[in-house]
Amino acid sequence: MPSRWYDEDIERIIVTEEQIRDKTVELARQVAADYGQVHELLLICVLKGAVMFTADFTRELGRIGPPLELEFMSASSYGQGTTSSGVVRVRADLDRDIAGRHVLVVEDIIDSGLTLSWLLKYLTSQAAASVEVVTLFRKPDAIRSAPPLKYVGFDIAPEFVVGYGLDYGERYRELPFVGVLKPAAYARPDL
Ligand code: PRP
């Protein structure tokens, strides 16, 4: 395979493209089984990181689950660096009423759990019929601080990862896998 611009920045891959694909199918099966009786399910993609997972998960769930609708919110706690800032910033709110709807929040990663805790409170206050969460990745702090989650793809180590939607300085989201950057990559002059 020809080398890609990012190959030299990656120290190691922690979850491969194939593992992500298999896990996405598995999560879609779990959700489809649990929501077999609902008329429709509203997926809320938390931009930007969850965009890749949402696109793939929605198609998998669409094959076997109830009718789906898709909405987007943009909330962030990371800021520019590699650790959560501790403050949740809503960059784009929902533009519709979710009262009485069954909602499934689609996240790429739960780290400190701060974004999710805020989102759950917010969505519940909008009188959704139910609110659950599916996340592809979860870090150890979230197991301690966030509410227990039904749908978790991979529990990963507390190290900073990029790829499949996850960025460092807005780069690396397009990687088809998730990996750890080499220390030198953080010092790239264009980042
Ligand atoms: C990431 C991720 C979650 C949040 C998790 O978003 O997509 O929304 O951080 O962190 P927490 O559990 O510590 O709150 P980020 O702030 O990187 O924004 P982005 O998705 O737009 O890159």
Side-chain angles (χ1 to χ4, degrees), residues 11-87:
E11 185 163 279
R12 80 200 128 82
I13 293 175
I14 64 160
V15 183
T16 65
E17 191 173 357
E18 191 185 1
Q19 287 171 316
I20 291 172
R21 207 166 28 237
D22 290 349
K23 188 62 79 175
T24 303
V25 171
E26 190 186 315
L27 289 167
R29 285 191 185 136
Q30 285 177 38
V31 171
D34 291 352
Y35 287 86
Q37 305 305 318
V38 307
H39 290 302
E40 62 186 355
L41 180 60
L42 177 62
L43 304 183
I44 298 181
C45 168
V46 186
L47 295 170
K48 303 176 201 173
V51 69
M52 306 290 179
F53 177 50
T54 301
D56 290 338
F57 175 77
T58 303
R59 278 175 291 193
E60 287 307 326
L61 184 57
R63 294 184 223 282
I64 54 175
L68 302 175
E69 292 185 9
L70 190 53
E71 289 293 330
F72 298 87
M73 278 188 79
S74 183
S76 157
S77 73
Y78 266 28
Q80 297 294 311
T82 60
T83 54
S84 275
S85 66
V87 178

Side-chain angles (χ1 to χ4, degrees), residues 78-129:
Y78 266 28
Q80 297 294 311
T82 60
T83 54
S84 275
S85 66
V87 178
V88 176
R89 197 161 60 92
V90 178
R91 296 176 296 208
D93 202 348
L94 284 175
D95 58 4
R96 66 188 290 186
D97 185 8
I98 60 162
R101 312 293 302 273
H102 292 286
V103 169
L104 183 64
V105 176
V106 185
E107 265 286 22
D108 49 337
I109 192 164
I110 318 283
D111 186 341
S112 67
L114 195 76
T115 307
L116 183 66
S117 298
W118 184 89
L119 269 173
L120 289 176
K121 257 187 230 142
Y122 175 73
L123 296 172
T124 306
S125 77
Q126 306 288 303

